[in-house]
Amino acid sequence: MARSESALSRSALARLGFTGLSTGAADVDELSSLLGIDGAELLDGAVAADPDAAVERMLRIARRDATVLRSLLGDRETRTIVWRVLGASNGLADFFYRHPAELAILADIGPLVPSAPTLRERMLSAVEAVDGVASSGGEEAWVALRIAYRRSLTEIAAIDLTTPEPASRIAAISAALADAAGAALEASLAVARARVSSSFPAEDVASARLAIIGMGKSGARELNYVSDVDVIFVGGTADEEKLDEGRAIDIATRLARETIQGISGIEVEPALWEVDANLRPEGKQGALVRSLGSHLAYYDRWAKSWEFQALLKARPIAGDEALGTAYLEAVQPKIWSSAARENFVDSVQRMRERVTEHVDPEDAPYQLKLGVGGLRDIEFTVQLLQLVHGLTDPSLRTRGTLESLDALVAGGYIGRADAAAFAADYRTLRLMEHRLQLKDLSRTHLMPRTQDGQRELARASGLADSAEGVWGLWERVRREVRDIHTRLFYRPLLSAVAGLPEEERTLSTEQAHDRLSAIGFRDPAGALRHIGALTSGISRKVTIQRHLMPIMVRWFADGSDPDYGLLAFRRISERLGDTSWFLRMLRDSSGAAESLTMLLSSSRYIGELLEGIPESVAWLDRAERLRPRSPDQLDEEARAIQTRHGSVGSALKAVRALRRRELLRTAMGGVLDVVTIEEVAASLTAITDATIQAALRAVRREVVPPEDEAFEFAIIGMGRFGGAELGFGSDADILYVYDPGGIDPDRAQQLARQIVAGLREHLTDNKVPLDLDADLRPEGRNGAVVRSLTAYTEYYRRWSVSWEAQALLRARGVAGTTRLLERFMAMADSIRYPEEVDEQGLREIKRIKARVEGERLPQGADPHRHLKLGPGGLSDVEWLVQLIQLQHAHRVPGLRTTSTLDALQAAVDADLVEADDAELLHDAWRLASRLRSAITLRTGKTSDELPWDRRELDALGRLLGYPERSASAVEEDYLGTTRRARRVFEQLFYG
């Protein structure tokens, strides 16, 4: 059965996007009748954002005058343009309703937007201007100007609406809109001159100079369809003898007011847009027109930071070109030095936050311009980066957002990915804004709240196929913009670069040597060579390093060893080559660059490890990556390594690399205060445990054949290792123990020796030595390195002396056969926690302690500066705690611990030590431990002596959190703390 004509018509309308099918069909029929064009032909090419509205608008125009519309709709090419324009803009439809003949502009739409000279010529011709003066100052001239402007606006809109990828032409469309605004102001000024000449002598008006400076989007040539046009007026006189400046300013002020009236005043033809002069000095309270000198005086004395940010986009757009150029040249140095003002970056950041805070909460989810993730986030970010880095880089002194993004990318100030995302999002947001404003030629920046409005926006922009699609795009763009804005706008480097003294912003060869010496480099010539190597060339890496170097040099100089820090940075940079993430992280990350300079200029231990593991710099991007890994994680990775490697050598080479990496992580976390001294000790112990366990597994697998599987072997931690109190550079005191497990005793002894030899061979690490020290074994260095459990048991029960039982207080099972570890620890408990106290043994321990203090100190060492053996040092606290453990651990379970500080607290809890005394001992032990690790971190070498050198003391102080130049404070704190601890020790230890 055939369909009716009506059904076919409605089906066609639905496919074209009509929603009111009955009304639409009726309107198309009426339009067809008025124009004498078949309905099907009218609908051929009917692509419109709102086809229902498009037909209604055509019908309204045709009812008034169908002549031009008939001609346009009768041609396939121009018909498409009419549908697109009238389907997108009720504002332009109203214009054509008032002036139907102006529709003719749509018959001559080319691919390119009109140029600035063309637009200026059109506007001036509309007011019949000659030598800058219109033929008439009457209101009809203003009407002619406004019609000419809207005619050009229609042409720009038609090109915009018919381009296949409108987002890609945002820059060209916005520039044309700005050029049209400048041309309109020029023509309005010509009318103003004609009007003012009736009040002032014509020669005076001719001598009065007025330059109109475009600000904001008009200055940057990125104007919207409907936007306030921000301007500043600059006045003057062409000849002081003919017209003094005061009178010239009066005339210029009158010209400015009339120019504004011609654009924004109420006339028969509606106003074009608001001319906003509130960015002038003193805002609304200030004079509308000032002389160039008056402007400069204000900027020198009174202007706030935001006013210089506003001047960033300043451009002469109408009026006296020479005066406008002079104004621009005069303010440029002030713009680009403004970032050096105190708290400049903070003030710009706060300004953006205030803008966001003042957005109506109900509008916030819809705000394209001012809201979170909107255009202002992009613009403020770009402008802040320009102003800060434009201090020293003229290539950034651009106006437009997109061209400025390109300049920032070319200069290495922003990553390519972030810039590409910002640019794409900017174009998307501007396209949405354009389409929304074009609809009613009204100033709006709000996404539609209704499904119909969002669907219309989707069709008008071509950005999506549906309301849901365009809203989803808006949400995605908002999130992406806000993420990039937050990372870049609050980048710590911005405040640091802006705060650099003027003499440090560039490192010229002529002045750099003296400057480097003055800020703390000992070898400025060497530093210059490193800087030259880092900043010479044309690669992107070199470009970014060139920008980073002034502030990084200042940060290096704030450290205790800037020369080494700079050298280490150069080596790391060279090792990483052109790795993109490295410099991107330093530039963009929150504090990574400053943290790296602090680490390198304060710790050779870290610097040397980083040179071998440069990729570890990436940890600085997130503090949680500097947290020590758990024992389980370390063990899991070590076991995975052994699974992947077939030989002991290759497996333990990878385990040694694992150890170095985790030592580096712990050191970095410790220096940057991500982890505490207690966490550092626990981490170093866990790393050493995992390393020894992995080594023992690998060596045993190689040494012990399957038929000897019953053979048992274990390693016992002793000393600070056993107490889980390792510091950087600490030896690992250990005991080796085995049990034949039923195999031949001689064979077992042989296997045990082979395992010990294998451990020593494969755990040798020249980069970060791991010294397995077995000197605490029975009989010390004279005794067997490895013994059976039976031999240990017999020795300790029959022959051991007091200090050997004391040493067992720190014994802790580390690696090996679980059953053997348990048996050894049970044996050790019977020795170190005796039921009855051996008074003779205690006296012997006291005698040995006194002898150690005199005999074991290095020759010539000042005992008061020895961290381990000196009075009140580590040895005093540890020996006292161990004496208490030997006396009371059998009856006080809390004392049965290998930890010095835990045992000390248990002694307090058991009323064996006064809390105040324990606090003094705790503080001394902790400070000595921190200093000992700090010395290793600082120098890369181990030492137990507090240095005399004031620079070294200051360097240690900084690692411990003291302020700069605290050498005396560090020394006094240590000597005072240990002196007080010594008094407690002598009272409790010797009685």
Side-chain angles (χ1 to χ4, degrees):
M1 181 178 176
R3 291 184 178 181
S4 68
E5 290 296 323
S6 176
L8 286 172
S9 176
R10 292 189 182 193
S11 175
L13 292 176
R15 286 196 301 272
L16 291 171
F18 282 80
T19 56
L21 300 182
S22 297
T23 302
D27 287 347
V28 170
D29 287 342
E30 183 181 354
L31 184 63
S32 173
S33 176
L34 285 171
L35 300 179
I37 301 174
D38 182 70
E41 185 178 351
L42 285 175
L43 294 175
D44 181 25
V47 178
D50 186 348
D52 297 84
V55 174
E56 291 173 9
R57 293 160 189 166
M58 292 181 206
L59 192 55
R60 191 158 61 98
I61 296 168
R63 287 168 180 162
R64 179 164 187 175
D65 186 340
T67 307
V68 178
L69 187 59
R70 181 182 297 110
S71 172
L72 292 171
L73 291 176
D75 179 83
R76 177 68 168 75
E77 185 175 343
T78 56
R79 181 165 59 248
T80 299
I81 296 173
V82 172
W83 273 100
R84 288 188 179 272
V85 171
L86 294 183
S89 179
N90 188 55
L92 290 179
D94 287 344
F95 170 61
F96 293 135
Y97 178 76
R98 295 191 302 272
H99 309 285
E102 299 299 336
L103 270 169
I105 187 69
L106 296 179
D108 192 25
I109 300 299
L112 300 178
V113 294
S115 66
T118 298
L119 290 165
R120 185 167 299 237
E121 181 182 352
R122 288 180 187 174
M123 307 289 178
L124 290 173
S125 295
V127 298
E128 300 177 356
V130 176
D131 295 331
V133 182
S135 61
S136 166
E139 294 178 0
E140 69 280 1
W142 283 342
V143 171
L145 162 61
R146 295 179 185 189
I147 291 172
Y149 172 83
R150 288 199 168 92
R151 187 187 306 121
S152 293
L153 183 71
T154 300
E155 180 182 2
I156 295 168
I159 294 169
D160 184 11
L161 290 164
T162 55
T163 191
E165 296 183 4
S168 66
R169 299 202 66 184
I170 281 294
I173 295 299
S174 298
L177 292 170
D179 292 341
L185 285 166
E186 189 72 70
S188 189
L189 177 58
V191 176
R193 289 193 184 102
R195 291 173 70 88
V196 172
S197 294
S198 63
S199 304
F200 294 91
E203 58 272 19
D204 287 355
V205 174
S207 295
R209 305 175 71 188
L210 179 65
I212 303 177
I213 310 299
M215 304 288 284
K217 287 184 169 62
S218 62
R221 296 186 77 224
E222 49 189 22
L223 201 61
N224 304 328
Y225 277 99
V226 182
S227 176
D228 290 355
V229 174
D230 296 312
V231 299
I232 285 178
F233 294 106
V234 186
T237 177
D239 189 337
E240 185 72 39
E241 293 184 1
K242 293 182 179 179
L243 182 69
D244 66 73
E245 186 173 84
R247 185 166 174 79
I249 296 298
D250 289 341
I251 296 173
T253 300
R254 177 72 180 279
L255 288 172
R257 294 190 188 283
E258 294 292 345
T259 299
I260 293 171
Q261 183 67 19
I263 298 293
S264 307
I266 298 174
E267 298 296 336
V268 174
E269 180 66 17
L272 301 181
W273 19 259
E274 290 295 320
V275 179
D276 188 342
N278 290 334
L279 291 177
R280 65 186 183 270
E282 300 181 87
K284 292 181 180 179
Q285 307 304 317
L288 180 62
V289 180
R290 289 177 184 247
S291 68
L292 176 56
S294 177
H295 274 96
L296 299 181
Y298 172 83
Y299 292 133
D300 285 337
R301 297 187 62 187
W302 308 111
K304 296 179 174 62
S305 295
W306 69 264
E307 294 178 275
F308 294 105
Q309 183 182 357
L311 285 169
L312 180 65
K313 297 181 179 295
R315 175 178 66 93
I317 59 173
D320 193 302
E321 186 175 348
L323 180 57
T325 301
Y327 171 88
L328 197 60
E329 290 174 351
V331 299
Q332 282 292 304
K334 303 179 191 305
I335 297 170
W336 299 109
S337 62
S338 64
R341 294 159 66 102
E342 186 176 1
N343 298 321
F344 173 82
V345 172
D346 289 344
S347 70
V348 175
Q349 291 170 343
R350 284 197 302 273
M351 187 193 313
R352 173 61 188 129
E353 290 161 4
R354 283 196 297 271
V355 170
T356 306
E357 289 165 3
H358 284 88
V359 172
D360 187 329
E362 291 188 4
D363 290 342
Y366 308 95
Q367 249 296 352
L368 285 166
K369 179 180 178 181
L370 303 177
V372 169
L375 286 161
R376 279 288 188 267
D377 272 357
I378 299 175
E379 293 165 350
F380 264 77
T381 301
V382 171
Q383 290 167 26
L384 183 57
L385 288 167
Q386 281 183 273
L387 287 165
V388 170
H389 297 296
L391 277 164
T392 55
D393 189 346
S395 71
L396 301 181
R397 296 173 186 178
T398 49
R399 294 189 185 92
T401 301
L402 292 173
E403 65 175 326
S404 299
L405 269 173
D406 290 341
L408 288 165
V409 171
Y413 300 100
I414 181 173
R416 293 187 183 95
D418 283 344
F422 246 8
D425 292 341
Y426 178 81
R427 291 186 177 96
T428 297
L429 294 174
R430 288 303 303 276
L431 179 57
M432 290 179 174
E433 186 181 49
H434 279 190
R435 293 298 181 264
L436 292 170
Q437 292 184 352
L438 190 56
K439 179 178 179 180
D440 292 308
L441 287 184
S442 62
R443 185 172 175 266
T444 181
H445 310 285
L446 295 176
M447 283 286 289
R449 286 174 161 82
T450 66
Q451 285 270 313
D452 288 346
Q454 291 165 15
R455 180 171 54 252
E456 185 177 344
L457 174 60
R459 292 173 62 90
S461 64
L463 292 171
D465 297 326
S466 64
E468 293 78 9
V470 81
W471 185 261
L473 175 63
W474 157 236
E475 291 284 2
R476 181 192 66 75
V477 167
R478 283 182 75 198
R479 287 192 299 270
E480 184 170 71
V481 167
R482 192 59 179 182
D483 175 63
I484 299 173
H485 165 78
T486 301
R487 283 190 286 106
L488 302 186
F489 193 63
Y490 295 99
R491 184 189 283 172
L493 271 176
L494 289 172
S495 295
V497 170
L500 275 174
E502 185 174 356
E503 63 270 18
E504 292 179 31
R505 290 180 199 141
T506 56
L507 295 170
S508 61
T509 305
E510 296 77 11
Q511 299 172 340
H513 184 282
D514 291 343
R515 188 62 196 162
L516 288 170
S517 179
I519 63 177
F521 283 83
R522 289 185 172 184
D523 179 15
L528 273 177
R529 287 194 299 274
H530 299 320
I531 292 169
L534 288 162
T535 60
S536 298
I538 58 174
S539 70
R540 183 168 180 79
K541 172 186 175 181
V542 165
T543 300
I544 295 173
Q545 287 182 156
R546 193 178 298 127
H547 303 322
L548 290 171
M549 201 46 54
I551 185 58
M552 291 191 75
V553 165
R554 161 51 66 186
W555 283 334
F556 281 127
D558 289 339
S560 54
D561 191 351
D563 297 86
Y564 174 75
L566 181 57
L567 170 62
F569 178 77
R570 176 184 173 183
R571 289 172 176 168
I572 291 167
S573 177
E574 289 173 349
R575 285 289 305 275
L576 289 171
D578 292 325
T579 307
S580 60
W581 62 262
F582 171 54
L583 292 169
R584 182 175 66 242
M585 182 195 70
L586 296 184
R587 180 191 61 202
D588 298 342
S589 178
S590 177
E594 188 171 8
S595 294
L596 180 60
T597 58
M598 177 186 175
L599 292 170
L600 296 180
S601 61
S602 61
S603 173
R604 285 185 178 247
Y605 181 93
I606 291 174
E608 289 166 2
L609 281 173
L610 269 175
E611 288 178 35
I613 320 171
E615 63 275 10
S616 301
V617 172
W619 298 336
L620 297 173
D621 197 20
R622 297 203 305 271
E624 61 268 22
R625 299 179 72 179
L626 296 173
R627 299 285 310 168
R629 301 176 72 203
S630 70
D632 288 344
Q633 289 174 316
L634 295 172
D635 181 66
E636 182 181 352
E637 183 174 356
R639 289 179 183 277
I641 287 172
Q642 289 178 280
T643 301
R644 292 195 302 270
H645 292 80
S647 70
V648 175
S650 63
L652 291 185
K653 180 179 179 181
V655 169
R656 291 195 301 272
L658 163 64
R659 173 176 174 263
R660 288 195 293 269
R661 186 194 71 206
E662 296 308 316
L663 288 174
L664 174 58
R665 188 194 308 274
T666 303
M668 292 167 68
V671 171
L672 295 175
D673 291 329
V674 175
V675 293
T676 65
I677 185 66
E678 290 79 13
E679 290 174 314
V680 166
S683 175
L684 295 177
T685 302
I687 293 165
T688 307
D689 282 354
T691 304
I692 292 175
Q693 289 161 4
L696 178 56
R697 285 194 299 269
V699 172
R700 180 189 171 98
R701 187 172 59 190
E702 183 179 59
V703 169
V704 180
E707 61 269 23
D708 294 329
E709 189 62 30
F711 171 78
E712 297 181 1
F713 189 93
I715 298 173
I716 310 299
M718 303 287 283
R720 291 174 71 87
F721 178 39
E725 296 165 345
L726 288 180
F728 292 103
S730 294
D731 293 342
D733 292 316
I734 49 88
L735 296 179
Y736 298 112
V737 59
Y738 72 91
D739 185 87
I743 71 170
D744 179 71
D746 291 338
R747 171 66 174 160
Q749 179 73 13
Q750 180 186 15
L751 291 175
R753 288 174 178 167
Q754 288 177 343
I755 289 176
V756 171
L759 289 171
R760 288 176 171 174
E761 175 188 352
H762 292 296
L763 287 179
T764 298
D765 190 339
N766 295 325
K767 191 74 173 176
V768 191
L770 174 57
D771 185 4
L772 299 181
D773 188 343
D775 286 356
L776 292 177
R777 65 187 182 270
E779 302 179 272
R781 294 181 182 178
N782 297 318
V785 172
V786 58
R787 295 175 185 240
S788 69
L789 177 61
T790 302
Y792 273 110
T793 303
E794 183 177 357
Y795 178 86
Y796 281 122
R797 288 181 177 163
R798 295 185 60 188
W799 311 110
S800 70
V801 293
S802 55
W803 71 264
E804 290 171 316
Q806 179 187 353
L808 283 176
L809 287 167
R810 312 293 289 280
R812 175 179 62 88
V814 169
T817 309
T818 302
R819 193 169 71 89
L820 178 57
L821 287 170
E822 291 172 349
R823 291 165 62 201
F824 183 94
M825 297 312 299
M827 180 274 297
D829 286 349
S830 69
I831 304 298
R832 59 187 174 180
Y833 309 137
E835 292 185 25
E836 296 183 6
V837 177
D838 179 3
E839 296 295 342
Q840 178 60 35
L842 297 182
R843 286 194 292 272
E844 178 65 12
I845 288 174
K846 294 177 182 180
R847 188 187 65 78
I848 293 173
K849 176 69 171 77
R851 192 183 73 217
V852 165
E853 290 179 10
E855 295 178 1
R856 291 187 58 190
L857 274 172
Q859 188 173 2
D862 181 346
H864 295 283
R865 304 181 79 85
H866 202 280
L867 303 171
K868 181 177 180 181
L869 301 176
L874 295 169
S875 177
D876 276 3
V877 179
E878 291 169 358
W879 280 61
L880 172 59
V881 169
Q882 290 160 17
L883 185 70
I884 294 171
Q885 287 179 289
L886 288 169
Q887 290 174 306
H888 304 287
H890 180 72
R891 68 176 182 82
V892 181
L895 289 171
R896 298 173 198 170
T897 173
T898 60
S899 165
T900 299
L901 296 184
D902 287 351
L904 181 59
Q905 182 58 49
V908 173
D909 295 340
D911 295 326
L912 299 173
V913 177
E914 294 291 337
D916 290 345
D917 290 342
E919 184 177 358
L920 295 175
L921 295 169
H922 173 281
D923 292 348
W925 188 90
R926 196 171 189 275
L927 180 56
S929 297
R930 295 184 69 203
L931 283 166
R932 205 179 188 201
S933 277
I935 290 171
T936 302
L937 288 171
R938 167 77 182 95
T939 64
K941 302 173 183 177
T942 58
S943 173
D944 287 325
E945 293 186 54
L946 190 68
W948 290 92
D949 184 272
R950 313 310 288 175
R951 285 177 65 104
E952 290 301 312
L953 280 171
D954 182 54
L956 296 181
R958 294 200 208 181
L959 285 170
L960 267 59
Y962 285 76
E964 192 176 353
R965 287 185 281 278
S966 294
S968 296
V970 172
E971 188 174 56
E972 290 168 6
D973 283 354
Y974 178 73
L975 295 177
T977 300
T978 53
R979 184 172 59 252
R980 290 185 289 273
R982 179 65 179 190
R983 284 198 295 266
V984 174
F985 167 79
E986 289 179 345
Q987 177 186 347
L988 298 179
F989 191 80
Y990 292 114

